Amino acid sequence: MSAADSFALVEDADPALIYLIFTWLRKNYLEHVNADAVIGRLLAISGRGSVPAMMKEGQADPVVQWFEDGYSYRELGAKEFIELIVEKLEG
């Protein structure tokens, strides 16, 4: 998926979800063999259009506070992380 395709999906998503996913990716791919590609894609997406404002809005969301107070980004695998966040956002 190109950065442009990813940007289109991000633009329509919940700001808290975007902030949490981007932060999870940054923390979990920090020392990964593909870190340059993953972090590069995140930077390409996060600097476009409304994404910086969405990230700031998402960071202030109570769901982010709830997650960061009770969990660690690095302790959860991708599937477990997404299931937990989506359940909380939908609840």
Side-chain angles (χ1 to χ4, degrees):
M1 180 181 290
S2 71
D5 292 339
S6 299
F7 175 72
L9 294 173
V10 168
E11 200 171 42
D12 293 332
D14 182 284
L17 180 62
I18 296 306
Y19 177 83
L20 287 163
I21 289 173
F22 278 36
T23 303
W24 185 90
L25 287 166
R26 281 195 313 267
K27 301 241 183 216
N28 282 277
Y29 280 87
L30 188 61
E31 297 177 12
H32 192 275
V33 67
N34 295 323
D36 290 344
V38 173
I39 302 302
R41 177 72 51 89
L42 286 176
L43 290 173
I45 296 165
S46 65
R48 297 181 81 177
S50 61
V51 177
M54 287 179 70
M55 293 286 290
K56 187 172 185 164
E57 179 183 345
Q59 185 177 18
D61 193 286
V63 171
V64 172
Q65 186 68 40
W66 162 82
F67 178 81
E68 291 179 345
D69 285 347
Y71 299 91
S72 166
Y73 289 98
R74 296 195 73 171
E75 76 181 19
L76 299 172
K79 184 177 180 179
E80 184 181 19
F81 172 75
I82 293 297
E83 288 174 353
L84 177 69
I85 297 305
V86 169
E87 181 179 315
K88 183 67 173 176
L89 287 170
E90 289 180 345

